């Protein structure tokens, strides 16, 4: 039998668990320990051991498939995880065992070599879906903030040369399908059918294997940057500043001034640093959701439509042009966004660097308190981005809430500490 025939026989048999998934381990989502929960096995080196739909790598899994098909990667390759353990351990927290709190990532996905040691000894190919490392970041805006006196180089968090010490966490999407369905208020069968149908039938197990409850979708994940001691993020006695940022490659990387994305991201980082220097911590979560999850091609098409319309680019037509091209204003759907905050054990955010109602509502609904919403200062909004800001306000994206007084914030913080 050729390699292609061998592989195809496995694909056909995915609807017959008794014939192929003979070593599959049950996944008890929301269990109190890693051992009780069981590992997520989505590797392809042993098809009989898989207990998940899809495979590791998110959007990069397609590149791995190409490398394997081209003969650049061995089909039997297993990673050597020596010295890859998290640079600092996170959790577990009570939220990890609350099945409704975390459904879009694997809370036990970081330290698999230790947490699932007995399964490794039995030959299971278990791969991390989370990695934690230490790093420095350097941004020209931070250097400018130091030069103008807005930030200080303390030698601990901000070095003299302007580089900032951070803990970085990379997280791949791992979906618990019953939980995802509940978040979107649909049945699990409707969710499965939609995922199968509208990806062109990419994952047949979605409709043929209802017993497999975990799905690793081929989408972008997220990166979290922690400023200050990592353990402070979950400590309700320490102030936390947080920004949840959705990817905007044109602005974040290349500095396009048509939107406020990079200015807001930099503002969030600066405030996160200040919070860490004041004895607390700061957190930036960066999601791969380019163009409101519509994609960069769609975003650029909308740019053209906005600029070429009669009367020029206006706030009134901002979202209408998006709907004309994409059929919807926004596909980010913040319902699953708070999961990463619960993974960090967060119960309260003192300063939330965002005025997005979608993000605020999703976080608060998930059970996390937000004490203060911090808007971007007017002087950081580029002239060409003012249309976007006015459009978002008109569409109800932002609520112009007044910043609470220091006395009111102190009362709320004191009440939270006594809970």
């Amino acid at each position: 039998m050729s390699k292609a025939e061998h592989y195809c026989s496995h694909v056909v048999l995915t609807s017959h668990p008794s014939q192929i998934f003979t070593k599959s381990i049950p996944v008890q989502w929301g269990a109190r320990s890693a051992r009780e929960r069981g590992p997520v096995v989505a590797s392809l080196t042993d098809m009989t051991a898989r207990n998940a739909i899809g495979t590791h790598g998110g959007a990069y899994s397609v590149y791995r498939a190409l490398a394997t098909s081209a003969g650049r990667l061995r089909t039997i390759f297993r990673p050597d995880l020596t010295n890859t353990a998290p640079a600092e351990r996170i959790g577990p927290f009570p939220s990890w065992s609350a099945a409704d709190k975390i459904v879009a990532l694997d809370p036990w996905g970081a330290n698999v070599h230790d947490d699932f040691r007995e399964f490794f000894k039995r030959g299971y190919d278990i791969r991390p879906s989370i990695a934690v490392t230490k790093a420095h970041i350097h941004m020209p805006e931070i250097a400018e903030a130091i030069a103008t006196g807005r930030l200080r180089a303390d030698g601990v968090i901000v070095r003299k040369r302007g580089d900032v010490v951070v803990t970085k966490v990379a997280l791949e999407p791992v979906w618990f399908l019953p939980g995802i369905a509940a978040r979107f208020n649909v049945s699990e069968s409707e969710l499965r059918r939609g995922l199968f149908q509208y990806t062109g039938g990419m994952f047949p197990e979605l409709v043929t294997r209802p017993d497999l409850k975990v799905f690793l979708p081929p989408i972008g994940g997220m990166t979290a940057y922690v400023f200050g001691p990592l353990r402070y993020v979950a400590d309700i006695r320490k102030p936390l500043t947080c920004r949840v940022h959705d990817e905007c490659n044109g602005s974040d990387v290349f500095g396009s001034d048509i939107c406020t994305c990079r200015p807001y991201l930099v503002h969030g980082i600066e405030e996160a640093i200040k919070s860490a220097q004041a004895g607390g911590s700061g957190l930036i979560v960066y999601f791969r959701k380019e163009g409101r999850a519509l994609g960069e091609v769609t975003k650029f098409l909308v740019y053209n439509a906005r600029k070429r319309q009669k009367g020029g680019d206006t706030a009134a037509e901002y979202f209408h042009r998006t709907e004309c091209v994409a059929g919807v204003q926004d596909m980010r759907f913040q319902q699953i966004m708070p999961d990463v905050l619960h993974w960090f054990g967060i119960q309260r955010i003192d300063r939330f660097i965002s005025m997005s109602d979608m993000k605020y509502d999703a976080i608060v609904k998930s059970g996390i308190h937000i004490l203060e919403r911090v808007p971007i200062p007017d002087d950081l909004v580029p002239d060409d981005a003012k249309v976007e800001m006015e459009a978002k306000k008109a569409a109800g994206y932002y609520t112009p809430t007044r910043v609470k007084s220091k006395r009111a914030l102190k009362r709320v913080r004191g009440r939270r500490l006594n809970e």
Side-chain angles (χ1 to χ4, degrees):
M1 180 183 292
S2 69
K3 284 185 178 180
E5 290 170 332
H6 177 71
Y7 174 74
C8 287
S9 68
H10 282 311
V11 172
V12 172
L13 290 174
T14 55
S15 60
H16 298 75
S18 63
Q19 297 181 50
I20 184 168
F21 291 84
T22 55
K23 297 191 329 193
S24 183
I25 303 164
V27 176
Q28 305 295 334
W29 203 268
R32 291 176 296 178
S33 68
R35 190 177 185 281
E36 290 177 275
R37 207 292 303 276
V40 172
V41 183
S43 49
L44 300 168
T45 50
D46 183 356
M47 296 293 288
T48 66
R50 282 169 55 80
N51 61 6
I53 304 166
T55 186
H56 290 287
Y60 297 97
S61 62
V62 179
Y63 286 106
R64 187 172 63 244
L66 181 60
T68 304
S69 300
R72 299 285 297 275
L73 178 64
R74 292 177 300 141
T75 56
I76 60 171
F77 172 77
R78 293 192 179 201
D80 179 356
L81 298 177
T82 304
N83 294 329
T84 63
E88 193 168 343
R89 184 96 190 212
I90 298 176
F93 299 106
S95 53
W96 290 22
S97 57
D100 62 332
K101 293 291 186 186
I102 300 177
V103 299
L105 58 92
D106 178 5
W108 302 99
N111 205 32
V112 297
H113 197 269
D114 287 335
D115 289 340
F116 301 113
R117 186 173 297 276
E118 63 177 275
F119 294 100
F120 274 98
K121 290 179 179 178
R122 290 160 53 187
Y124 285 92
D125 183 6
I126 306 161
R127 309 204 179 177
S129 59
I130 300 174
V132 184
T133 191
K134 298 287 186 179
H136 293 181
I137 62 172
H138 192 94
M139 302 175 71
E141 293 93 341
I142 298 302
E144 180 187 353
I146 294 171
T148 57
R150 294 199 313 271
L151 283 177
R152 60 187 174 87
D154 57 10
V156 179
I157 295 168
V158 181
R159 302 290 180 87
K160 291 182 179 179
R161 294 185 302 175
D163 54 316
V164 183
V165 178
V166 297
T167 302
K168 285 200 305 186
V169 185
L171 304 100
E172 292 179 0
V174 179
W175 290 3
F176 178 57
L177 291 172
I180 296 289
R183 291 281 179 90
F184 287 91
N185 226 7
V186 298
S187 69
E188 185 184 342
S189 61
E190 288 174 319
L191 174 67
R192 285 173 172 269
R193 187 167 58 253
L195 290 172
F196 171 72
Q197 183 175 352
Y198 298 114
T199 58
M202 186 179 289
F203 299 98
E205 293 95 338
L206 285 166
V207 292
T208 64
R209 293 298 309 281
D211 57 308
L212 296 180
K213 301 296 185 181
V214 178
F215 174 44
L216 280 64
I219 60 173
M222 70 201 88
T223 309
Y225 291 80
V226 179
F227 303 81
L230 185 56
R231 66 184 183 280
Y232 285 4
V233 174
D235 190 339
I236 201 168
R237 298 167 298 181
K238 305 289 185 180
L240 171 64
T241 293
C242 175
R243 171 158 179 79
V244 175
H245 188 90
D246 292 325
E247 177 183 35
C248 179
N249 183 62
S251 179
D252 297 341
V253 178
F254 292 100
S256 169
D257 62 357
I258 199 171
C259 65
T260 59
C261 292
R262 183 176 175 95
Y264 226 143
L265 175 61
V266 172
H267 178 56
I269 291 172
E270 189 172 324
E271 294 302 313
I273 291 170
K274 290 177 181 177
S275 182
Q277 289 182 327
S281 64
L283 174 66
I284 304 292
V285 181
Y286 192 91
F287 279 90
R288 298 319 192 280
K289 296 179 181 176
E290 182 65 58
R292 294 185 230 122
L294 301 171
E296 203 162 35
V297 169
T298 296
K299 182 166 75 169
F300 287 8
L301 293 174
V302 173
Y303 284 168
N304 285 345
R306 285 169 51 196
K307 293 172 182 177
R308 293 169 179 168
Q309 64 188 350
K310 188 176 181 179
D313 194 13
T314 64
E317 289 292 313
Y318 182 89
F319 284 113
H320 174 64
R321 296 314 305 162
T322 303
E323 287 183 321
C324 288
V325 177
V328 66
Q329 290 184 6
D330 196 325
M331 289 199 304
R332 284 176 294 179
F333 303 121
Q334 303 292 353
Q335 288 95 321
I336 58 178
M337 173 268 292
D339 291 34
V340 63
L341 306 179
H342 288 289
W343 182 73
F344 275 105
I346 294 172
Q347 301 176 61
R348 186 193 72 209
I349 297 171
D350 292 75
R351 304 184 76 235
F352 185 54
I353 313 300
S354 172
M355 294 304 289
S356 166
D357 288 343
M358 292 171 64
K359 294 176 183 177
Y360 174 85
D361 291 344
I363 292 171
V364 171
K365 186 178 179 180
S366 79
I368 296 173
H369 301 289
I370 293 178
L371 301 190
E372 181 182 2
R373 299 169 69 178
V374 181
I376 185 172
D378 289 338
D379 61 342
L380 293 183
V381 180
D383 289 339
D384 285 347
K386 287 182 168 39
V387 168
E388 177 199 55
M389 293 297 289
E390 292 307 312
K392 288 182 176 180
K393 290 175 184 177
Y397 272 60
Y398 295 148
T399 296
T401 56
R402 289 182 296 176
V403 176
K404 293 181 180 178
S405 69
K406 290 184 178 180
R407 182 177 297 178
L409 289 171
K410 190 173 181 181
R411 286 200 305 270
V412 176
R413 288 192 178 105
R415 187 165 67 247
R416 298 297 180 214
L417 291 174
N418 292 326
E419 286 181 349

